[in-house]
């Protein structure tokens, strides 16, 4: 098993190097979702004030993923958790926000959060403080898909960073729990203006990533969830031999390091880790979409890009709203020695 994982990781590393050689021409091959984006967002938003922002982000992430490809899943999850709670405003990045301390977000990867602030340092050093942390997170989530699949899509930019913390308990209200059934999943997506196809497509982000035993223990203890295939159950019980075990399992057993449509094949074989995943196949409303995505990776990719574009427009701050944070983990008003980047950015925006 270890040798197989090493071989897969080597193949992925080679793929990343191959993708890197295509960075200069990537903008010519991006899929662009045909959806209405929020007022204030635009494709090519930074064309005049920071035209190199996307290549700066992509070059740094190439290095990050070469060291640890697991950060791709961490960044994708970070982006989704940010957008679902109070909109895509970068509030998930704030150290003092209750959003970070509530249970649904305790397993977010600190390294993924640091990656975004490092990107902020790189971009601000080249362009000045004109690119928001929320936009950098959006770009990093897109590139997490690109570097693990080769699929590239354009994202509209122009978000501003939030200055208000979410209220206590909001993460529980907005985020999808691992044990959620499809009705709850669809309801929470609908609140954000996302439909059934969007919900199934975005669940496909679990094509990469890991799960801790605590997030699916109720499916294997005290007995096997009847919707779980027996050999898959046995393998999970090896990873998690007791209800309080702290092992981890891949969310996609067929291609855990590659973003693809095998996740949906897992569900058809009743090998989904979370209840929220497996129930998408068990529920007759979402089963046809699962089967369709399992049969067509291009259709899954294009639907995922559409859903990500729509999710990335949820309750965004634009124009004179919010701010451009000088540091992603703290609001500008909370740091006494920062230069007034908000006023500088407003001038840049006016010029643009």
């Amino acid at each position: 098993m270890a040798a197989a994982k090493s071989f897969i990781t080597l193949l992925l590393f080679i793929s990343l190097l191959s993708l890197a050689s295509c960075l200069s021409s990537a903008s010519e091959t991006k899929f662009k979702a045909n959806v209405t984006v929020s007022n204030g967002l635009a494709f090519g938003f930074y064309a005049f004030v920071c035209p190199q922002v996307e290549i700066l982000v992509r070059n740094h992430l190439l290095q990050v993923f070469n060291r640890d490809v697991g950060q791709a899943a961490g960044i994708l999850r970070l982006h989704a958790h940010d957008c679902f709670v109070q909109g895509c405003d970068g509030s998930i990045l704030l150290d003092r926000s209750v959003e970070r301390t509530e249970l649904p977000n305790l397993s977010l990867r600190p390294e993924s959060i640091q990656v975004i602030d490092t990107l902020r340092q790189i971009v601000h050093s080249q362009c000045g403080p004109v690119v928001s942390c929320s936009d950098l997170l959006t770009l990093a989530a897109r590139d997490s898909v690109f570097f693990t699949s080769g699929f590239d899509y354009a994202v509209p930019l122009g978000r501003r960073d939030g200055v208000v913390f979410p209220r206590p308990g909001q993460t529980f209200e907005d985020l999808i729990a691992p044990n959620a059934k499809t009705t709850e999943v669809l309801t929470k997506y609908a609140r954000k203006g996302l439909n059934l196809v969007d919900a199934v497509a975005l669940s496909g982000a679990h094509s990469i990533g890991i799960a801790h035993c605590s997030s699916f223990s109720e499916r294997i203890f005290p007995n096997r969830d009847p919707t779980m295939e027996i050999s898959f159950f046995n393998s999970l019980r090896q990873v998690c031999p007791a209800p309080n075990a702290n092992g981890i399992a891949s969310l996609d057993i067929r291609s855990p390091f590659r973003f693809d449509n095998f996740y949906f094949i897992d569900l058809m074989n009743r090998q989904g880790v979370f209840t929220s995943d497996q129930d998408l196949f068990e529920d007759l409303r979402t089963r046809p979409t699962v089967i369709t995505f399992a049969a067509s990776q291009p259709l899954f990719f294009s639907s995922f890009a559409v859903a990500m574009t729509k999710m990335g427009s949820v309750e965004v701050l634009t124009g004179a709203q919010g701010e451009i944070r000088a540091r992603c983990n703290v609001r500008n008003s909370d740091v006494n020695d920062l230069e007034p980047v908000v006023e500088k950015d407003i001038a840049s925006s006016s010029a643009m």
Side-chain angles (χ1 to χ4, degrees):
M1 178 64 73
K5 281 193 173 183
S6 297
F7 179 68
I8 293 172
T9 304
L10 176 61
L11 288 179
L12 181 61
F13 176 74
I14 295 172
S15 299
L16 289 174
L17 292 180
S18 177
L19 288 173
S21 68
C22 302
L23 290 180
S24 60
S25 60
S27 61
E28 302 173 4
T29 59
K30 286 187 177 71
F31 172 85
K32 183 180 289 187
N34 184 22
V35 299
T36 302
V37 298
S38 296
N39 289 334
L41 298 185
F43 294 99
F45 181 84
Y46 296 107
F48 297 103
V49 295
C50 190
Q52 70 271 43
V53 59
E54 295 199 33
I55 197 68
L56 291 171
V57 170
R58 192 160 284 190
N59 280 339
H60 179 66
L61 289 179
L62 174 64
Q63 301 172 46
V64 170
F65 298 154
N66 277 340
R67 292 193 303 268
D68 179 11
V69 71
Q71 293 304 325
I75 290 170
L76 264 181
R77 185 168 181 243
L78 192 64
H79 177 57
H81 282 219
D82 182 46
C83 290
F84 264 78
V85 180
Q86 199 173 266
C88 308
D89 65 346
S91 59
I92 193 68
L93 303 170
L94 293 170
D95 288 340
R96 292 174 52 192
S97 176
V98 67
E99 190 174 358
R100 288 265 294 280
T101 62
E102 292 188 328
L103 182 62
N105 287 329
L106 289 180
S107 58
L108 291 173
R109 302 187 186 197
E111 300 87 353
S112 299
I113 297 171
Q114 181 56 49
V115 166
I116 306 305
D117 197 58
T118 301
L119 286 172
R120 188 271 314 162
Q121 295 175 45
I122 293 170
V123 172
H124 284 195
S125 70
Q126 295 294 314
C127 302
V130 296
V131 181
S132 67
C133 295
S134 50
D135 270 349
L136 291 172
L137 179 53
T138 299
L139 286 170
R142 187 273 309 277
D143 285 354
S144 295
V145 173
F146 172 69
F147 278 121
T148 53
S149 71
F151 174 65
D152 204 3
Y153 59 95
V155 290
L157 302 171
R159 297 163 192 78
R160 304 272 290 187
D161 297 320
V163 295
V164 177
F165 295 131
R167 53 183 168 74
Q170 193 169 350
T171 58
F172 293 95
E173 295 175 21
D174 291 337
L175 297 178
I176 308 295
N179 62 352
K181 290 297 189 79
T182 298
T183 295
E184 180 183 346
V185 172
L186 296 180
T187 298
K188 290 191 173 183
Y189 273 92
R191 290 176 190 163
K192 305 301 178 182
L194 302 168
N195 60 32
L196 181 149
V197 175
D198 299 326
V200 178
L202 289 173
S203 297
H206 288 171
S207 172
I208 54 177
I210 58 175
H212 296 270
C213 294
S214 59
S215 62
F216 59 86
S217 61
E218 79 282 353
R219 298 194 68 209
I220 60 176
F221 293 104
N223 300 305
R224 174 177 65 94
D225 182 330
T227 65
M228 182 180 289
E229 189 266 330
I230 184 65
S231 66
F232 184 57
F233 164 76
N234 290 333
S235 67
L236 290 182
R237 281 293 289 262
Q238 290 182 345
V239 172
C240 308
N244 59 349
N246 34 350
I248 56 173
S250 294
L251 290 172
D252 176 3
I253 63 172
R254 285 172 169 76
S255 55
F257 302 107
R258 185 166 180 80
F259 186 91
D260 54 28
N261 68 332
F262 283 12
Y263 159 84
F264 299 102
I265 297 173
D266 292 338
L267 302 188
M268 292 179 65
N269 284 278
R270 292 189 162 86
Q271 295 168 332
V273 176
F274 296 149
T275 298
S276 59
D277 291 326
Q278 189 57 53
D279 202 54
L280 294 175
F281 182 70
E282 307 306 320
D283 193 294
L284 296 181
R285 293 170 294 178
T286 46
R287 178 180 289 187
T289 307
V290 170
I291 295 173
T292 299
F293 288 161
S296 174
Q297 180 161 283
L299 181 58
F300 163 53
F301 280 171
S302 60
S303 299
F304 184 82
V306 168
M308 285 288 281
T309 304
K310 291 170 66 175
M311 183 183 74
S313 300
V314 169
E315 302 170 28
V316 293
L317 303 174
T318 60
Q321 300 170 316
E323 65 184 11
I324 305 295
R325 288 188 206 136
R327 284 164 46 188
C328 291
N329 65 330
V330 63
R331 299 175 299 184
N332 293 338
S333 59
D334 294 330
V335 180
N336 295 325
D337 58 350
L338 293 178
E339 61 179 327
V341 296
V342 177
E343 288 78 9
K344 181 183 293 187
D345 178 65
I346 291 174
S348 299
S349 299
S350 300
M352 180 169 59

